[in-house]
Amino acid sequence: MPLNPGARPGKSSNSARSDRRRLAVTVVLLFAIVGVFVVRLIDIQVVRADTLSADSLGNRSVEQTVYGSRGDILSSDGDVLAGTVMRYDITISPRNAGEFTRTTDAGPVTVTVAQAAAEIGAITGQTGDEILGIITDSLAANKNSDFAYVAKKVNVDSLRAIKELSIPWIYPRTNPSRVYPNGAVAGNLVGFVSADGEPQAGLEVGQDSCLASTNGVETYEKGADGVRIPGSTVTAKQVVDGGDVVTTINRDLQWFVQQALAEQAQATGAAWGTVVVQEVKTGKLLAVADYPTVDPNNVSATAAKNRGSRAFTDSFEPGSTFKTLTSASVLDSGKATLKTHIIAPYRYKPGNGANVNDSHRHDDEKLTLTGVMIESSNTGMSKFGELLSDQQRYDYMKKFGVGTPTETGFPREDSGILHPYEKWDPQTAYATMFGQGLTTTALQVSSIYQTIANDGVRMPVTLVEGCRQADGSVLDKADASGSRVISAEAAHATSDVLEMVYANSWVASKWEIPGYRVAAKTGTAQMPNGKGGYSRGYLVSVSGFAPADDPQFVVSVSLADPVKMNTSAASAPIFQKVMSQALKKYRAVPSGTPAPDLPANW
């Protein structure tokens, strides 16, 4: 049968339609699959891009603290009393701690974890087992632990040695640390910080707002092997270094004063002692020494009770050095002059019921105010002191700074004890005339003498000049304005009588300073026993200034219970040495006029 002339060779029409359907389905499936990928891609790159990026970065990004540098504490001449040096913390990534290949001159060498641990320990002073224990303990707490301390605050030599080991899972971090280059010089003033860098005492605490730094934060990325990726570091928070505290202390003079105090305190068996050197015209403290003292580099070597500065924190009955304030007050009031007459008995019983006596028995003495000061008569001073009312004397004491902390802002500074005059009992009303019934600090006594030496103008007691910033500017500058307490005439008269005391004292041979006129007064006071009474020990002191005709420096010395010499003769040699050194160091001009000669008797 002949073929159909209308038929085409190849597939049938049904087969063609089937192919077209399969193609359409394939295209639809292809578009569906592409659509799924597009939707997934949009979800990853657009919808959840930030979240996924953060998660990814978190898996490889490391954040670490960048330590700021604490400011320095400086002497007046720029010497560093407390400074900061760079130390380094050695940290590891426990989860990445494993053996590695080290390149040596002899070729590649495989280093085990145990061997690496032993090498680290040989540098840090630990055993290899201790290092392995750090790794094990860290992984036991967190199997993915990426951080652990091996050693803190190693020096730069140790850092170099550790870096030379080329251990890939070790990461040194900078950590500034406190040092005190001058050791115990001004140690009781400077104070110290804890092992963690927290301020603990002295100026480190009192000036922390200036000294403290603000730590920064930086992040970096690491690879799968835990190694830091170069160039990936980003600063998240800028570090801010602390400011420098500039003190008024002269380092060389401070050292000398501490030596002189320690030598005499040990020679006399004193429990403790203080010496204050103050500049008359400015009120600046040039030296404040304590015995015993503390080396901030080795705090534990000093008993806790001796780590502060008693010149600021301990008050005591000043005794006869306080008679100077009473004399100045009476002279300023115009109630008496240096030549005014009184009769000073051994015992005096005023009408209010008080009972006052001198330190040794004697017949009635015809004394002037000058004579009362030379003899250091309690009964004589009582007769002059009662020329003023209790309120008047109290007001003078407050103006001199008694009962109030000084302007230094030193931590835990004692205000001393000065009860309101309305609360004085009859005995206290008279005892306060000659340095009993109240307490003062060594700084307050020095300030009293500074006021008299400075023509009656009290200057703020200054220990810190200010906080110096990185750009050289100085913030929180000390107040340099004075306040008049007594008239210049009264101050000069008081200075004259103190010169007479100095020249006629029984310890004159122990405190003479050739070429200079000196105004000074000694004192001896019983020490409290902590139970409301007095112990058998004494606090012996001397305070004064020189040159008396042009005062430059005040020196105030206190020795507590010098059992081998329990008199003011114990403190006089310190006064002589320290005042001589101050006059010499600052090249004070020798006195050019003779000292006054005033009558002591009538």
Side-chain angles (χ1 to χ4, degrees):
M1 180 178 289
L3 295 173
N4 185 353
R8 292 171 17 182
K11 294 182 180 180
S12 68
S13 60
N14 288 335
S15 176
R17 284 194 297 271
S18 177
D19 287 343
R20 285 194 297 271
R21 282 195 299 270
R22 282 195 296 271
L23 178 60
V25 169
T26 299
V27 171
V28 170
L29 288 175
L30 181 61
F31 274 106
I33 292 170
V34 170
V36 169
F37 277 107
V38 169
V39 170
R40 182 61 175 164
L41 188 61
I42 292 173
D43 178 56
I44 292 173
Q45 292 194 343
V46 178
V47 178
R48 294 194 294 154
D50 292 341
T51 302
L52 293 174
S53 178
D55 290 344
S56 174
L57 185 61
N59 289 331
R60 66 179 188 274
S61 179
V62 177
E63 181 179 279
Q64 71 176 21
T65 299
V66 181
Y67 293 97
S69 180
R70 188 169 176 81
D72 294 342
I73 300 177
L74 306 171
S75 68
S76 61
D77 42 358
D79 289 304
V80 177
L81 302 176
T84 298
V85 295
M86 197 57 68
R87 292 288 183 259
Y88 305 89
D89 295 340
I90 306 303
T91 71
I92 60 172
S93 172
R95 74 175 186 178
N96 290 302
E99 67 178 32
F100 61 95
T101 300
R102 178 183 292 157
T103 302
T104 67
D105 293 339
V109 175
T110 299
V111 181
T112 66
V113 176
Q115 180 182 344
E119 291 174 344
I120 297 168
I123 298 170
T124 62
Q126 299 161 282
T127 65
D129 288 341
E130 287 175 326
I131 305 296
L132 291 174
I134 292 171
I135 297 172
T136 302
D137 292 345
S138 183
L139 291 174
N142 178 7
K143 65 180 181 180
N144 292 315
S145 174
D146 201 31
F147 179 87
Y149 280 107
V150 171
K152 292 185 177 183
K153 297 184 178 181
V154 303
N155 60 31
V156 68
D157 291 335
S158 297
L159 173 69
R160 289 196 186 102
I162 286 175
K163 282 186 172 181
E164 288 174 358
L165 298 177
S166 299
I167 300 173
W169 33 271
I170 276 190
Y171 308 96
R173 304 171 64 180
T174 58
N175 190 347
S177 299
R178 210 63 169 154
V179 293
Y180 303 90
N182 288 282
V185 177
N188 296 67
L189 297 176
V190 171
F192 48 88
V193 299
S194 68
D196 294 326
E198 293 298 317
Q200 301 293 300
L203 292 174
E204 292 280 26
V205 170
Q207 296 294 317
D208 189 53
S209 60
C210 170
L211 296 166
S213 61
T214 301
N215 293 334
V217 177
E218 68 179 21
T219 61
Y220 64 88
E221 294 181 34
K222 61 185 179 181
D225 58 358
V227 176
R228 186 173 187 152
I229 298 174
S232 65
T233 301
V234 176
T235 299
K237 180 182 178 182
Q238 194 69 41
V239 66
V240 179
D241 292 334
D244 295 336
V245 170
V246 182
T247 73
T248 59
I249 297 299
N250 181 279
R251 184 196 62 172
D252 293 341
L253 183 62
Q254 178 74 26
W255 176 86
F256 182 91
V257 175
Q258 287 184 210
Q259 296 300 308
L261 172 60
E263 179 181 324
Q264 185 68 355
Q266 292 168 10
T268 59
W272 56 265
T274 64
V275 178
V276 177
V277 183
Q278 189 174 17
E279 194 171 53
V280 168
K281 301 295 192 295
T282 65
K284 293 178 181 180
L285 298 171
L286 305 180
V288 180
D290 287 89
Y291 172 84
T293 192
V294 62
D295 183 346
N297 295 305
N298 186 19
V299 176
S300 61
T302 301
K305 65 180 180 180
N306 296 325
R307 295 174 187 171
S309 176
R310 285 188 171 92
F312 291 89
T313 63
D314 286 25
S315 63
F316 50 86
E317 290 192 351
S320 292
T321 55
F322 200 76
K323 290 171 181 171
T324 300
L325 185 151
T326 303
S327 297
S329 303
V330 172
L331 290 167
D332 185 67
S333 71
K335 300 291 185 179
T337 70
L338 295 180
K339 299 179 180 180
T340 299
H341 300 171
I342 56 97
I343 295 178
Y346 162 68
R347 187 175 299 280
Y348 178 49
K349 294 182 179 180
N352 72 344
N355 189 342
V356 179
N357 63 271
D358 282 338
S359 60
H360 60 279
R361 291 187 176 277
H362 61 79
D363 295 332
D364 289 354
E365 295 178 319
K366 295 181 177 181
L367 300 176
T368 61
L369 178 53
T370 300
V372 167
M373 286 290 287
I374 292 173
E375 298 296 331
S376 199
S377 170
N378 293 340
T379 60
M381 188 53 65
S382 296
K383 288 195 171 185
F384 279 107
E386 66 187 7
L387 297 175
L388 301 178
S389 68
D390 290 346
Q391 180 176 354
Q392 286 175 314
R393 290 194 302 106
Y394 177 85
D395 290 343
Y396 272 115
M397 292 181 205
K398 295 298 289 185
K399 288 197 293 182
F400 270 105
V402 179
T404 305
T406 67
E407 297 80 1
T408 62
F410 197 82
R412 296 177 50 243
E413 182 174 355
D414 195 342
S415 63
I417 299 173
L418 177 62
H419 297 298
Y421 69 91
E422 298 93 342
K423 296 184 179 181
W424 290 350
D425 59 31
Q427 192 65 29
T428 300
Y430 275 83
T432 52
M433 298 175 187
F434 44 85
Q436 297 177 16
L438 54 80
T439 65
T440 58
T441 63
L443 267 295
Q444 290 171 344
V445 173
S446 179
S447 182
I448 291 169
Y449 281 76
Q450 177 275 322
T451 302
I452 293 165
N454 194 39
D455 295 338
V457 176
R458 182 183 181 276
M459 300 301 294
V461 182
T462 305
L463 177 60
V464 173
E465 296 272 19
C467 178
R468 191 171 68 193
Q469 305 300 293
D471 62 3
S473 62
V474 178
L475 306 179
D476 303 323
K477 290 184 179 179
D479 182 12
S481 57
S483 59
R484 180 160 295 284
V485 177
I486 58 175
S487 68
E489 293 75 20
H492 296 162
T494 307
S495 177
D496 287 346
V497 75
L498 288 173
E499 281 199 76
M500 292 294 296
V501 171
Y502 171 79
N504 291 278
S505 172
W506 67 280
V507 296
S509 62
K510 297 180 179 296
W511 65 359
E512 182 181 0
I513 303 176
Y516 293 94
R517 289 166 53 183
V518 180
K521 180 78 179 73
T522 60
T524 304
Q526 284 184 283
M527 296 179 64
N529 60 12
K531 301 177 182 178
Y534 295 94
S535 68
R536 298 182 63 183
Y538 290 88
L539 187 139
V540 299
S541 61
V542 56
S543 295
F545 49 86
D549 48 335
D550 183 19
Q552 301 296 316
F553 310 106
V554 170
V555 172
S556 184
V557 180
S558 299
L559 282 181
D561 199 19
V563 292
K564 299 178 183 178
M565 191 186 297
N566 230 330
T567 68
S568 51
S571 55
I574 304 174
F575 177 89
Q576 193 275 342
K577 287 182 180 179
V578 171
M579 183 63 83
S580 296
Q581 181 66 15
L583 293 168
K584 176 182 176 182
K585 178 176 180 58
Y586 291 95
R587 299 181 179 180
V589 178
S591 298
T593 57
D597 186 11
L598 302 167
N601 305 92
W602 55 276

